[in-house]
Amino acid sequence: MRITQGTFSYLPDLTDEEIRAQIAYIIRNGWAVSIEYTDDPSPYNVYWNMWGLPMFDLEDPAAAMYEFQKCREAFPNHYIKVNGYDPSPMWQAQRVSFIAHRPKNEPGFRLHRQLYSDGRRLKYTLEPYVTMRPAGERYKDE
């Protein structure tokens, strides 16, 4: 199962040149670049770990690409995304976010169904299969 979160999630994985082009686009717009990673890509998990601090006032994508590559080396079996944050007064929000690296094996999610005691209401929740393993061991090659 392929996780589809972010701007380019339905496209094939981006190459390093394409990632560099997207970072250049973020910089041209005057946005800050940040890199985040996680081993729990649940749609409800909006708090990914940050790799370093957001990079404001970049003029060249090389610095952001360097940090992305270091994050990929440190966490080869995690999801890594690149974000573009617009600090302008009218926005102050994330303008672009895309998954730039993903583990080789994406096990997917299971659907939990709960029936409430009144017998009339159902609640559905998603749980990633990887959360059955402890953090740090979730995407080891099998």
Side-chain angles (χ1 to χ4, degrees), residues 78-135:
H78 284 59
Y79 290 87
I80 302 172
K81 68 180 174 179
V82 175
N83 304 309
Y85 175 79
D86 185 352
S88 64
M90 295 302 291
W91 283 94
Q92 294 186 356
Q94 197 174 74
R95 296 285 292 258
V96 66
S97 176
F98 61 93
I99 295 176
H101 178 79
R102 50 181 80 233
K104 291 179 183 128
N105 179 25
E106 296 182 82
F109 295 86
R110 70 176 169 187
L111 185 67
H112 283 283
R113 184 175 84 170
Q114 291 179 313
L115 180 64
Y116 286 91
S117 60
D118 63 7
R120 295 177 185 218
R121 293 181 297 146
L122 289 174
K123 179 180 178 184
Y124 293 94
T125 56
L126 291 174
E127 180 179 303
Y129 286 118
V130 296
T131 57
M132 294 178 188
R133 298 170 115 180

Side-chain angles (χ1 to χ4, degrees), residues 13-80:
D13 291 339
L14 299 177
T15 64
D16 281 358
E17 295 81 28
E18 292 169 330
I19 293 168
R20 178 183 292 277
Q22 292 304 317
I23 291 172
Y25 172 80
I26 292 169
I27 292 169
R28 266 195 318 273
N29 283 290
W31 303 338
V33 179
S34 66
I35 298 168
E36 299 177 348
Y37 63 95
T38 189
D39 65 350
D40 179 12
S42 167
Y44 304 115
N45 177 16
V46 295
Y47 298 109
W48 290 31
N49 299 308
M50 286 194 71
W51 178 263
L53 296 172
M55 294 170 264
F56 289 88
D57 300 324
L58 289 179
E59 295 179 5
D60 186 341
M65 277 303 292
Y66 175 80
E67 292 299 328
F68 167 70
Q69 290 166 346
K70 287 297 181 186
C71 183
R72 186 168 52 189
E73 288 172 15
F75 300 101
N77 294 318
H78 284 59
Y79 290 87
I80 302 172

